[in-house]
Amino acid sequence: MAFFTSVLGYLWWNQGIKEIGAGKTSLFFNLVPVVTMIISFAVGTPIKVFQVIGAVLVILGVLTASGVIRIPKTILKNSQLYKIGIIFEKMC
């Protein structure tokens, strides 16, 4: 088991950097806690609701940041965060 995590993990990670670039590869580093939770569950550790909610949020964040999921611009322009960002840009 140590061979897989210490040697093959780094080899595959470096291969991913080579294939899709460091920027996109770094997004998937956020999935490490999710995979750890899944492995813990497979071993028999109970999972709490907050862990599942967190895992779903992480997966949605990775999918959104990588471009798999797109948020329509109309939703973004009507959101409070967009309006705060415009105000902040004007201040700087």
Side-chain angles (χ1 to χ4, degrees), residues 19 23 28-29 54 70 73 75 79:
E19 294 289 324
F28 294 100
F29 194 69
R70 301 230 183 244
K73 289 185 179 182
I75 292 174
S79 72

Side-chain angles (χ1 to χ4, degrees), residues 4 21 23 63:
F4 289 109
L63 291 175

Side-chain angles (χ1 to χ4, degrees), residues 5-68:
T5 57
S6 61
V7 177
L8 292 179
Y10 287 111
L11 289 176
W12 291 335
W13 184 261
N14 288 332
Q15 184 65 28
I17 291 174
K18 182 179 169 185
E19 294 289 324
I20 64 173
K24 286 189 177 182
T25 307
S26 66
L27 288 174
F28 294 100
F29 194 69
N30 294 310
L31 294 175
V32 170
V34 176
V35 173
T36 303
M37 183 190 72
I38 293 169
I39 292 171
S40 297
F41 179 72
V43 173
T45 305
I47 294 177
K48 300 198 174 15
V49 175
F50 292 113
Q51 291 171 313
V52 174
I53 293 170
V56 168
L57 289 174
V58 168
I59 291 169
L60 285 174
V62 169
L63 291 175
T64 303
S66 64
V68 174

